[in-house]
Amino acid sequence: MENSRIHRLSEDVINKIAAGEVVERPASTVKELMENALDAEASHIEVQIIDGGKTSILIRDNGCGMTEEDLNLCYLPHTTSKLLSADDLFHLMTNGFRGEAIASIAAISKLTITSRTEQADEAHFIKINGGTREDCGTNATPKGTTFLIEDLFFNAPVRKSFLGSDTLEASKILDTVTRLALANPNVRIDYKANGREIFTGVEGNDLKSRIAEALGSGVAKVMLPVDYTEDGIRVSGFVAPPEAFKNKRSRLYFYVQKRPIWNSIMTKAVTRAYEPYGKENAPTAVLFLEMQDTSVDVNVHPTKREVRFANENAVFLAVHHAVRDAFQKSAKDCPTIRLEDITLGALPSGKTECAQDNQVAKKIAAPTSFATRETPNFTASEPAKPYHSEDPEDIIQDLFSLPEAGNVIPLTPQSFNTPAKMDKVSPPQFFQLAKTYIVCEDSEGLLLIDQGAAHQRILYEEALQSLENQGTLETQELLFPELVELTTIESSFVPALIPKLDHLGFHLELFGKNTYQLRGIPRELILSRAVAAVHEMLSSIAEGENVADPTKETLAKAWALSNSYRAGDELGTEEMTALMAELLATQDPMTSPSGRPTLMRLPIADINKRFKR
Ligand code: ADP
Ligand code: MG
C-alpha cells in the first residue's frame, strides 16, 4: 500500500465534491428541496430565507412525510425512494432520482430535518452537522416535512467566497421559486425573505392565475394561449403578444415534462418568432414541452437543469411554430374588420387593435378593393329594397346593402321595411356549419357558402391578376427548408416551372435527384400544409394541357386549390367576414375556379312551406 499513490476518496470528500455539483448556491438548495416536497405530493410549500439563504433556508411542506427509518437514511449518499433501476433514469415521473441532494446539502451545512407521516403519532427530527448526525428526537410537528438549513457552506470556505451578495442570491431564489410555482399552479406556495412576504400562490390555481401571481396581472392579462403539437412534441402554455413588452427584459420560462429547464434552442425558437415584429419587443413566455421520455435526456447535468434533446431541430420547429401559431390565432380572434368599415369604404385607418402580422394586414387590406369597387349596387345613395331574384348581384346587394344613413342593415326581411330601425342595427352574423360552410341570413332567406370554394375563387383571381401584371405574390421564407420528394413524372416538368412557382410564392431548389428543398411558401399558407400544397399544386398543373408551359389560368387555379381553406378549417368571425367581403368583390362570386358553386340560398318561402305555415 505504501507504494501506491492512488487511493479511494473518503466518503466525506466524495460528498463535498458532489455538493459542489448539486449545491452551487442557496437557490439550488431551494430548488432541490422544493422538488422533493412536490415529489412528496405536498399541496402547500413554505419557503423562508434569511440573508439570501446564507444564514438560513427553511422549507416546509405538508406532503407524505418520512418514517423514522427513512429519515435516518435520506441524508446518506445515493439514497432515494424514487429510482430503482437504471431503466428508470429514462422515465421522469418525479423531480429527484439521484438520491444526492440531501446528502450534498447535509455535507456542507447545519441541517435539521423534521418529518411526520400520516400514520405516525409524532414527528421525528434529526440534526446533521457537516454530514454527521448529532442529534435526534421527536416533537409534535404536524404531517409533512421541514428542512432547516443553517450556515450553508460553513465548512467549504472557498465555495462560500464565490457566492454573490445577499440581494443577488435572494433574486436567484425568487427566480427558482417562480419557475417551480409556474409549473405547479395547483400547489400553494408562500415565499418569505427576511420575514417579508415576497410571493404567495394560492392552492388549486390554473396556469393563467398563477402567471398573474408570479409575473403580475398585467402580464397575465395579455398572454395568448399556446397549444400546438408537431412531430410528437406538444407545446403548451402562454406567450405575450409580440408588441406587449417593448424594451423590457425577456422573460422565458421553459419546462420539459413539467421540469424547469434552461435551453438555448428553445430560447432561440421563441426569440425568432418575435423578431419579425421588431427588435425591441421582449419575448415573454411560459411554455411546457411534452414528448416521449426517450426523446429527452435530463441526466446530463447534476441539477437536471439542462436537458439534451434527441432531435433539437424538431424541438426548435415545434416551439417556433407554436409561438407563431399563437400570434396568428390571436390576430384572427381580434376585431380587425368591421363590416361597417367595409361597406362605407372607410377602411381600417391602418391601425387595428392587434393587427400583428403581414398575414393579418393582408386580410385587412383585401376588402379595401371591395369597398372602393365601383359597383352601382353599392352606392350609398341608393335606398335598400328587397330583391327577389337569384341574380348573384342581388344576393350581394342584400348582404351588404347600404342605407342612406350609411349604416349597415341587418339581413332580416323586416329591416328592409322599417328604415327607422336602421340606425341601431348590427352587421350580418356569420356562423360556421360543419367547419365547412358559412351560414348567414339575407333578406330572402338562408345563405350557405362553401368556404373552400369561395376561398378558391378569391385566391384564383388574386393569382391571375398577379400573373397578368407580372407581379410576385408574397412569400414567407422558411427558416428550416422542408424537403419535397417528387415523383419521376413531377421531376420531369418541375425545372421548367421553377420561375413561375417563384412568382406564386413557392421557392423550390433542387436538392438531389427528385428531391427539392422548399425554401419559401406563399404568405397565407399554413406551414404544416406546405409540402402537401406543393404536391397539390403540381398535380393540378399536371391536369392542364401543357404541363411544361401551363396557362396563367391553370397556374392560378392550381395555386388557389393548394392554398385555400379546407373543409374542417375553423374560421373566426373576422375571417368569415373578410372571406365574404373578398368573395363578393370577385368577378365571378358564384362559382369556384373549378366550376363548383360557392353559395346557395334556401329561401324563406321554401322554409315556410316545409313548416306548413
Ligand atoms: P432524490 O430526490 O433524488 O430521491 P434526495 O436526496 O433529494 O434524493 O432525497 C432522498 C429521499 O428522501 C427521497 O427519495 C425521498 O424518499 C426522501 N425525501 C426527501 N425530501 C422529502 C420530503 N420533503 N418529503 C418526503 N420525503 C422526502
Ligand atoms: Mg431530490
Side-chain angles (χ1 to χ4, degrees), residues 32-42 59-61 63-66 70-71 73-76 78-83 94-105 113 115 144-147 304:
E32 292 293 336
L33 297 182
M34 280 184 79
E35 285 182 347
N36 279 350
L38 291 165
D39 285 345
E41 299 190 319
I59 303 205
R60 181 183 294 140
D61 70 59
C64 66
M66 285 181 268
D70 282 345
L71 189 60
L73 281 174
C74 77
Y75 69 94
L76 301 173
H78 310 298
T79 51
T80 176
S81 56
K82 298 163 194 172
L83 182 73
T94 57
N95 288 299
F97 58 73
R98 287 166 168 250
E100 275 174 345
I102 301 177
S104 305
I105 295 164
I113 316 173
S115 197
T145 306
T146 306
F147 282 83
K304 298 160 251 118

Side-chain angles (χ1 to χ4, degrees), residues 6-11 14:
I6 298 178
H7 60 89
R8 258 189 94 85
L9 292 173
S10 73
E11 201 80 324
I14 291 174

Side-chain angles (χ1 to χ4, degrees), residues 581-603:
E582 292 179 56
L583 175 69
L584 299 172
T586 61
Q587 305 295 315
D588 185 8
M590 297 294 282
T591 43
S592 83
S594 319
R596 284 171 47 215
T598 54
L599 54 87
M600 248 171 64
R601 178 193 265 148
L602 186 56

Side-chain angles (χ1 to χ4, degrees), residues 234-247:
R234 175 162 180 237
V235 186
S236 64
F238 289 91
V239 284
E243 279 149 13
F245 302 106
K246 280 186 194 288
N247 304 314

